[in-house]
Structure formats: C-alpha cells, structure tokens
Amino acid sequence: MASAIWDDIAMDFGNETVNFGPREEIGSALYQVNTMANIATKDKVESSPCLSGTVAGTYLCVAVGQQLSLFSDTISRFISTLSFEYEIDAVTWIEDTDFVLVGDSSGTLSVISISTERTLFSHKLLSETNLEKAFESIKAFCDDTGQLKLLVLDVNGILTLFEGLNIVAIIQAMDIKDFAAVIMIQDKMISYKCPVSVSSAVAICDSRVIVTFWVCCFLHSSANLYLFEKKSVNFELHVVSNF
C-alpha cells in the first residue's frame, strides 16, 4: 500500500486559539507558544510516520514519512518539499556546508543541497535492512579538504565510523557526469565497527576530526557508559561507569 504523502504545508495561522483550540498548560505560563508551520497529508494515514529534523545553518529541515520539507531558520518561509522512495529515518547537517544527509529505511544515505533543492548523490551504506527502519542516528563531520566522517548507529545497535569519503570530489565528478570517478571515490571509504552493542552515541570532535566519542551501551539488564578512542584502525575502549 502506498504511503501517505506529507506535503500539505500550512503557515500564517493568525489566531492560535481559533485554529488549534486552547493549550493545556500546567503551572504559570511565562512563555508564549506560537505555531509557525503545520505539515499534513491529504491521504489516509495507516500508521504513524517516522519524524526527524535538523537545523542546517540558516535553514530548518523536517522529515515526515518519505518527505523532507525545507524552511528558513525562522520558519517564516517555506522553501520546498523533497520526496524519497523510502521512509526517512534520520536527517543531519554537515556543519558549515550547504548539505544535509538523509538516511532512509533502505539503508541508503543521500546528500542533499539545500540551496539547489536537489539530491547530489546517494550511497548504499547499510546492506542488511528490513525496509522498515535502518538508521537510528547519523552524525557527520567534514574537514577543510572535503573528507567526510560519518558516525552511524543502525537499528540493530551497531555503531560504525565511516571515513575516506571525499564529498567535494564526488560532487565535482557528478557535475561533469563522471560516474566512474564517483564509484572509485566511494570505493575508498573505509569503516570501523564498535565492538559492543550501542543504544546512543555522542561524538567529541577536535578541529573537525573525530577523536573520541561517548557511547551508552545496554548489555543484558545493565547499562554502561563507555569512552571510545580511535587508535589507528582499531577502537580503544574505556569503561567510564555502569549503572
């Protein structure tokens, strides 16, 4: 059955109470809540869609189902909605660039240019997926030479660090339709897997290079907080605490 298309964007609501009714708040309200935008579908909804989003420089990117909607950072202006073949699991911004990464339920990672509103290239990153969900979270970092580092956590708790993907070189090759060069660049990417099952991870960066990252791991009935450091081609593991 075809998924609902979430591309019905509404803005400029005017009176909040008239449109959405009174808000239920507890305690003293020392703030004001304004609805800036509403993303809806005109189709019949069979199940709740996956939701994700990111602030990308001067833009806001919100993914609902298979659609990615782009807004200005103040959400005062709607830009465009991009559609994908599969449900979007995760969206993240490559800091100081015009690009966002979109991971979908097929295990494919796509690089999107916000200013041109187009997909620059896609790469099958995760091979073992059930098409329901593949990515739990994606963290991305790009150095001055265009080398992209990805910290990817999949739904099975496998945390992988991907290195060696030159995003600048790929985009240049795509512009001149040199697809052989694109494949050669992608083949240079290498990966390192975390040795334990992971529930969440936070990267700690130094000069845009991943040096260490915190990982929360659930093993059996206990939870452990680890600190990993990348040493050459391996990970060095430090147990920080368990609880």
Side-chain angles (χ1 to χ4, degrees):
M1 182 177 294
S3 300
I5 300 175
W6 297 85
D7 62 350
D8 187 8
I9 312 298
M11 303 181 69
D12 300 325
F13 300 107
N15 190 301
E16 286 276 314
T17 304
V18 171
N19 285 279
F20 302 102
R23 297 184 183 275
E24 297 181 3
E25 298 177 354
I26 300 175
S28 59
L30 302 178
Y31 56 88
Q32 179 175 330
V33 177
N34 293 321
T35 302
M36 304 300 296
N38 185 69
I39 302 176
T41 178
K42 297 178 181 178
D43 303 323
K44 182 179 179 180
V45 180
E46 299 290 341
S47 60
S48 299
C50 183
L51 304 175
S52 59
T54 185
V55 174
T58 58
Y59 300 94
L60 174 67
C61 305
V62 180
V64 184
Q66 296 175 211
Q67 279 67 49
L68 178 69
S69 295
L70 309 178
F71 300 86
S72 64
D73 59 342
T74 58
I75 322 181
S76 59
R77 181 173 62 92
F78 168 66
I79 300 171
S80 178
T81 295
L82 307 178
S83 293
F84 291 78
E85 184 177 357
Y86 297 96
E87 187 103 343
I88 298 171
D89 293 337
V91 180
T92 190
W93 176 46
I94 305 176
E95 190 174 348
D96 298 328
T97 73
D98 177 50
F99 312 129
V100 291
L101 299 177
V102 175
D104 66 36
S105 60
S106 73
T108 299
L109 188 74
S110 299
V111 179
I112 310 298
S113 169
I114 302 176
S115 60
T116 62
E117 304 170 25
R118 67 186 181 98
T119 301
L120 300 178
F121 72 93
S122 298
H123 182 69
K124 183 79 169 181
L125 206 61
L126 304 177
S127 57
E128 297 182 5
T129 64
N130 57 15
L131 296 184
E132 292 184 1
K133 188 172 183 180
F135 296 92
E136 193 65 44
S137 65
I138 304 170
K139 305 295 182 184
F141 312 90
C142 193
D143 62 24
D144 294 332
T145 66
Q147 293 290 332
L148 186 65
K149 297 177 184 290
L150 300 173
L151 194 60
V152 174
L153 177 61
D154 70 19
V155 293
N156 298 315
I158 299 175
L159 182 71
T160 308
L161 174 63
F162 294 90
E163 292 185 325
L165 187 64
N166 192 314
I167 188 171
V168 173
I170 288 180
I171 293 171
Q172 290 174 345
M174 289 293 292
D175 286 341
I176 60 175
K177 301 186 183 325
D178 189 352
F179 302 115
V182 171
I183 294 174
M184 289 180 60
I185 296 169
Q186 291 178 342
D187 287 344
K188 293 179 180 179
M189 185 169 60
I190 52 179
S191 62
Y192 311 92
K193 291 186 183 298
C194 180
V196 294
S197 181
V198 174
S199 62
S200 63
V202 178
I204 303 171
C205 300
D206 181 14
S207 300
R208 298 185 182 178
V209 177
I210 295 178
V211 177
T212 61
F213 53 92
W214 294 93
V215 177
C216 184
C217 308
F218 288 92
L219 304 175
H220 304 294
S221 59
S222 64
N224 301 286
L225 182 64
Y226 295 96
L227 178 65
F228 287 89
E229 290 184 292
K230 180 174 174 293
K231 300 290 187 180
S232 183
V233 296
N234 298 309
F235 282 122
E236 184 175 295
L237 172 63
H238 309 275
V239 179
V240 178
S241 64
N242 56 70
F243 46 93

